[in-house]
Amino acid sequence: MTIAGEMVAEGEVMAEMPTDQLRDRENIVTIDHVSKSFGDKIALNDISFVIPEGQICGLLGPNGAGKTTLFRLLMGILKASSGSLHVAGLDAFEDRVAVKRLIGFLPDEPVFYSYLSARELLELSAGMHGLDVEAAMAAIMPVAQRLRLAGELDNYAEDYSRGMKKKLGLLLAMLHAPRLLVLDEPTNGLDVESTHLFYDLITETAAAGTTIVFSTHLMDHVARLCSHAVIMGEGALIASGSLGALKARYGEDDLEALFLKLTARPHAA
């Protein structure tokens, strides 16, 4: 699927709170005992946590932890084997058309129609969201200029470098001013300057009230941007909470050391 066609507790872990208490709080996302299997393979195993509105949350985990599967469930691309996911009170799968209006999603490897320019993709996406195309393009153009992409919009997106595709994917994710931005490895392929521009955009977007969840393997990104983190391993929730609470709970001031402690696998005998 092309991109155009298309966390977390305060303080301590909230996975053990009763469901009715979770939903009574002002959370944009509620993930309640979610499991997902592909045949005999368990990708997610009884995951529960919430994402309060207005937070920047880092989703951390080794490769194969289930992060991308979780994002696809949130987008309604996949259906949970059990449990429920709600975005602003809507079922992520059953109400997926409405949910996609609330979410801006940037996949790790954006894929675009080969016969459209970047400008045409943005205009198409604006139309699909029911926006005034001219107004939407005017609103997103300052972001395109900051990302050094405005001068490239009339070129075919298929011919873009990986970093340029990531920038275009971010523009498409932000185009309809979503309440929730879901970003899968957003800085992969970006140079140093573009990465710092990403920092600024994320901070400004969150300050304007958008909730942001992004996955990354770069601990400094989480330490710099996030107030909260969710740590996963082998399809299970390991820990979630504010960065300060997690560091205090596990006795680690360094986020990378904390992550390695919580996700360490036993050595084979």
Side-chain angles (χ1 to χ4, degrees):
M1 178 181 292
T2 65
I3 188 171
E6 293 259 56
M7 256 163 143
V8 40
E10 295 178 284
E12 296 299 318
V13 178
M14 296 185 67
E16 297 179 357
M17 288 181 62
T19 300
D20 57 346
Q21 291 184 33
L22 290 174
R23 289 179 178 165
D24 283 343
R25 302 171 72 91
E26 293 184 359
N27 301 314
I28 191 167
V29 172
T30 300
I31 298 173
D32 187 16
H33 295 288
V34 166
S35 296
K36 178 61 182 176
S37 299
F38 299 94
D40 294 333
K41 178 178 173 55
I42 300 174
L44 293 175
N45 186 14
D46 198 26
I47 297 287
S48 295
F49 61 88
V50 296
I51 304 175
E53 201 150 12
Q55 300 294 324
I56 305 179
C57 173
L59 182 60
L60 305 174
N63 291 332
K67 303 184 298 295
T68 297
T69 298
L70 182 60
F71 282 166
R72 289 174 177 170
L73 289 169
L74 271 179
M75 288 297 298
I77 298 170
L78 298 174
K79 183 176 182 179
S81 302
S82 61
S84 64
L85 300 90
H86 288 83
V87 178
L90 300 171
D91 186 281
F93 186 78
E94 299 299 334
D95 302 314
R96 56 191 177 278
V97 174
V99 166
K100 286 179 181 177
R101 296 192 183 104
L102 301 177
I103 297 180
F105 179 52
L106 173 62
D108 184 22
E109 296 288 348
V111 178
F112 307 108
Y113 295 120
S114 61
Y115 51 86
L116 294 178
S117 68
R119 187 183 305 278
E120 289 169 331
L121 285 164
L122 287 165
E123 292 172 346
L124 173 63
S125 183
M128 292 174 68
H129 281 291
L131 305 176
D132 180 289
V133 173
E134 185 175 345
M137 291 299 291
I140 202 66
M141 196 55 63
V143 182
Q145 291 169 343
R146 288 178 67 181
L147 291 174
R148 312 289 192 266
L149 203 62
E152 305 291 338
L153 292 182
D154 292 315
N155 297 328
Y156 287 121
E158 187 182 51
D159 296 331
Y160 278 8
S161 67
R162 187 185 185 195
M164 291 171 67
K165 287 180 179 178
K166 222 47 184 292
K167 293 177 184 180
L168 176 56
L170 183 59
L171 292 180
L172 286 162
M174 298 178 67
L175 183 65
H176 58 295
R179 286 177 62 183
L180 174 65
L181 267 178
V182 177
L183 313 175
D184 195 358
E185 299 285 353
T187 58
N188 274 1
L190 296 184
D191 57 29
V192 173
E193 180 188 29
S194 297
T195 297
H196 281 271
L197 285 171
F198 164 77
Y199 286 152
D200 294 340
L201 281 171
I202 291 303
T203 302
E204 293 165 14
T205 302
T210 302
T211 306
I212 299 170
V213 184
F214 70 93
S215 65
T216 183
H217 293 291
L218 303 175
M219 298 298 120
D220 61 319
H221 288 193
V222 177
R224 177 169 180 168
L225 294 173
C226 298
S227 58
H228 293 71
V230 171
I231 301 175
M232 297 175 60
E234 298 183 341
L237 177 68
I238 296 175
S240 68
S242 71
L243 296 187
L246 289 173
K247 290 176 181 179
R249 183 180 185 194
Y250 294 102
E252 289 286 357
D253 289 330
D254 181 74
L255 183 59
E256 185 168 339
L258 170 63
F259 174 79
L260 291 173
K261 174 189 284 189
L262 295 180
T263 60
R265 300 177 183 179
H267 295 290

